[in-house]
Amino acid sequence: MIIKPNWRILTIGDGDLSFSLSLWQYHQPSSLWATIFDNQHQLAQKYGLGNFNRLINTAGCHVLSEVDINQLQSWQQLPRQAFDVVIFQFPLVPALPSKDDYQTLTEQMSVNTLNRALLRQFLTHAHDSFLDPQGPQLAYISSKDVKPYSDWDIERAVADGLGIHYLGSSPFSMAQFPGYRMRNVDRPGWVKETAARTYVWSGKPHLELVASLEPLGYQRDDCCGLCRRGPFANDADRQAHERSKRHRQLTEFDKQWQQYLRQH
């Protein structure tokens, strides 16, 4: 993850605040606003208040609880257009309270679409409300590079039509943030570390930054960008891929996502 000293940084949904604390301690932003989805009572029950107390007692740091990126009223206390980079670490739609709630919601759209929509809301609000037009205007999403997260087509799908530049991605290394632990969304405990990437968008082209990132791949005619597969040796090779269960599944996810975009 590219972090430059003296950037003004906003973190979204930082579970136990260990990412924000490490960011502050080891990367020297000029200011840091850290947000969590839980209220303080839930935070205390799940993870304790150690990181929370360290941050709120540090000059230049602010912590705001009960922030839902989908709910405008929950982040009205955040300063508008005051940040250089907004970071969303390992976002995931929280589990629903009951099986009935889950069935009701997934009758309307799949879990895959729900997660894509969450990321799209983040990018929209980051650029419309949080990022300073005079700054670098960077939005970062870190996500696991395994299923089901890799099924979200983050690089291509979530910013479709928003007019935001996708700049590329880089491997995410926990070692860059000592003390950071990935937490479960809905319960205490840690998430097993797996391969992950940080994806980068901006309202600006950022040619210098692009040189340090890996571009969107598999966009050639002899590849499948949807599945990130190829190059294919010949037409028969491509046709065999398109008959595969993986390709058919991702094609269905893409159809569901296009339907969502038409309705929203």
Side-chain angles (χ1 to χ4, degrees):
M1 180 182 289
I2 299 171
I3 300 290
K4 295 187 178 180
N6 300 319
W7 272 353
R8 299 161 296 169
I9 297 179
L10 167 65
T11 61
I12 300 295
D14 184 18
D16 67 350
L17 295 165
S18 63
F19 175 76
S20 298
L21 182 62
S22 183
L23 185 62
W24 179 261
Q25 291 176 330
Y26 295 97
H27 296 276
Q28 302 176 324
S30 64
S31 66
L32 175 66
W33 282 74
T35 70
I36 57 175
F37 181 77
D38 293 322
N39 60 42
Q40 290 185 35
H41 176 70
Q42 291 168 324
L43 176 69
Q45 285 190 318
K46 286 183 181 179
Y47 314 124
L49 294 175
N51 295 334
F52 176 87
N53 290 330
R54 291 185 187 94
L55 285 170
I56 64 171
N57 289 315
T58 300
C61 293
H62 309 267
V63 180
L64 189 60
S65 58
E66 297 183 88
V67 171
D68 182 348
I69 198 64
N70 292 312
Q71 301 295 329
L72 174 65
Q73 65 272 18
S74 75
W75 39 265
Q76 288 300 289
Q77 298 177 56
L78 287 168
R80 288 185 59 84
Q81 297 186 329
F83 301 99
D84 297 308
V85 59
V86 185
I87 303 173
F88 205 173
Q89 287 293 105
F90 302 99
L92 184 67
V93 171
L96 295 168
S98 70
K99 184 177 180 180
D100 289 342
D101 290 329
Y102 177 85
Q103 290 177 335
T104 300
L105 187 58
T106 53
E107 286 173 2
Q108 304 169 32
M109 64 182 74
S110 68
V111 174
N112 182 284
T113 298
L114 286 170
N115 279 289
R116 293 188 192 202
L118 172 66
L119 305 189
R120 186 176 180 85
Q121 288 277 48
F122 163 74
L123 290 175
T124 299
H125 296 318
H127 285 85
D128 290 350
S129 299
F130 304 144
L131 290 167
D132 182 353
Q134 303 306 313
Q137 281 192 310
L138 294 167
Y140 289 0
I141 296 173
S142 295
S143 187
K144 292 188 173 188
D145 202 18
V146 296
K147 294 191 294 184
Y149 314 95
S150 57
D151 293 347
W152 299 345
D153 197 14
I154 294 175
E155 308 101 305
R156 306 185 321 147
V158 297
D160 188 12
L162 294 182
I164 301 169
H165 299 278
Y166 174 70
L167 303 184
S169 68
S170 61
F172 178 78
S173 172
M174 298 286 284
Q176 190 181 358
F177 299 94
Y180 174 38
R181 302 288 297 274
M182 273 186 282
R183 293 286 197 166
N184 289 309
V185 173
D186 302 298
R187 61 190 186 279
W190 290 274
V191 177
K192 182 180 179 181
E193 184 178 350
T194 60
R197 304 194 69 81
T198 298
Y199 303 90
V200 181
W201 292 261
S202 178
K204 301 178 179 180
H206 274 293
L207 297 180
E208 180 183 352
L209 195 63
V210 166
S212 302
L213 298 169
E214 296 178 21
L216 179 61
Y218 300 99
Q219 299 309 297
R220 297 161 35 181
D221 291 341
D222 58 352
C223 295
C224 176
L226 184 64
C227 302
R228 293 187 280 182
R229 294 290 184 271
F232 303 117
N234 48 48
D235 288 345
D237 192 17
R238 173 185 284 279
Q239 291 167 9
H241 167 75
E242 291 176 348
R243 290 192 298 269
S244 69
K245 180 179 178 180
R246 175 72 172 161
H247 180 81
R248 287 185 284 111
Q249 181 184 47
L250 293 184
T251 298
E252 179 59 31
F253 287 150
D254 187 61
K255 288 180 181 177
Q256 293 168 4
W257 179 241
Q258 294 305 317
Q259 181 180 1
Y260 171 86
L261 293 180
R262 288 192 295 271
Q263 294 172 348
H264 296 81

